[in-house]
Amino acid sequence: MLNNIVLIGFMGSGKTTIGREVAKLCNSVLLDTDSIIETNYNMMISEFFVRLGEEEFRKAEILLCDWIKDNVNNAIISTGGGLPTRYDLRDIGSVFYLEAPLDELSQRAIKDGIKKRPMFEQFRIVDDLYKSRVPIYEDMADYTLNALDSTKQIAEKIYNYMRGY
Ligand code: S3P
C-alpha cells in the first residue's frame, strides 16, 4: 500500500491549501493534480476546458494518477474535484474527504474567482453535480473531515491519523 495522503472533495473544499499545510507538517511535498496539468500543458485549467474539452482533461487526470501510482510515495496529493468520479484514488494512498455544504463551497468559489473553475461556471448544474458526487466521495474516503474547521486543525488531524493517533 502506498503511503501517500490523497485529499478529495468538491471545488472550494480547500484541498490545495490543506495539502500545503499537511506537506509542511509531514516534511513532504504537495502534488496538486490541477497545477501539474497546468504546468505540463502550459495552460490554465479554464483554457484547457475551452481548447481541448472536459474529456481530454479527464484523460490527462487519469494518466497523471497512473503515473503517481507507479512512481510516488510519501507525498501529499490534492486532487481536482472530479477525479474520484473517474479514478479509484485508494490505489494511490489513504483518502481524506473534505466535507462541506454546497452554500459554503459556492461562496468560497465565488470569492476565489469562478473563472478559474469551468465546472462552477455552469451554476444550474452545480447543485446536481454536488449531489451526484457526494456519495462517490463518501464511498472512496478512508477518513472524512469537516472542511469548515480551520486549515491548521484539519492538517493536524490528517497528520495524527497518519501517525496512528
Ligand atoms: C473540477 C474541479 C477543479 C478542476 C476542474 C474540474 C471538477 O478542481 O479539476 O476545473 O470537475 O470538479 P478543484 O476541485 O481544485 O477546483
Side-chain angles (χ1 to χ4, degrees):
M1 172 67 180
L2 293 173
N3 214 18
N4 296 309
I5 294 174
V6 185
L7 304 178
I8 64 167
F10 205 68
M11 293 169 275
S13 56
K15 292 161 290 189
T16 305
T17 312
I18 290 157
R20 258 184 221 124
E21 199 64 32
V22 179
K24 265 191 250 158
L25 279 177
C26 297
N27 200 13
S28 176
V29 292
L30 169 67
L31 302 181
D32 178 77
T33 60
D34 284 343
S35 304
I36 293 171
I37 292 171
E38 288 187 332
T39 304
N40 285 352
Y41 287 80
N42 194 26
M43 54 180 115
M44 304 296 282
I45 301 293
S46 47
E47 193 187 345
F48 193 120
F49 269 66
V50 172
R51 285 174 57 179
L52 304 173
E54 184 184 348
E55 247 345 276
E56 280 308 307
F57 179 72
R58 300 302 172 198
K59 281 188 203 156
E61 285 186 307
I62 291 167
L63 276 178
L64 175 56
C65 284
D66 279 338
W67 182 84
I68 291 173
K69 185 161 78 181
D70 292 342
N71 295 286
V72 178
N73 200 6
N74 295 318
I76 321 303
I77 324 280
S78 61
T79 60
L83 241 176
T85 65
R86 303 290 183 107
Y87 202 94
D88 190 345
L89 292 156
R90 285 167 294 196
D91 289 345
I92 288 183
S94 302
V95 178
F96 291 81
Y97 166 37
L98 304 176
E99 181 185 46
L102 183 58
D103 358 331
E104 175 68 22
L105 298 173
S106 306
Q107 278 171 31
R108 286 188 188 183
I110 290 165
K111 223 164 113 194
D112 212 28
I114 224 92
K115 287 274 174 250
K116 277 201 270 175
R117 293 194 165 97
M119 302 296 287
F120 231 113
E121 278 192 276
Q122 300 150 287
F123 262 118
R124 273 174 294 114
I125 64 156
V126 165
D127 197 46
D128 289 342
L129 204 59
Y130 180 80
K131 284 189 189 125
S132 68
R133 284 184 179 175
V134 165
I136 298 172
Y137 297 145
E138 285 174 349
D139 275 358
M140 203 169 284
D142 294 306
Y143 307 93
T144 298
L145 297 162
N146 184 355
L148 303 187
D149 286 345
S150 74
T151 302
K152 192 164 175 282
Q153 268 176 325
I154 300 172
E156 278 171 1
K157 268 190 193 158
I158 295 174
Y159 179 63
N160 287 332
Y161 277 132
M162 292 305 282
R163 291 196 312 159
Y165 291 118

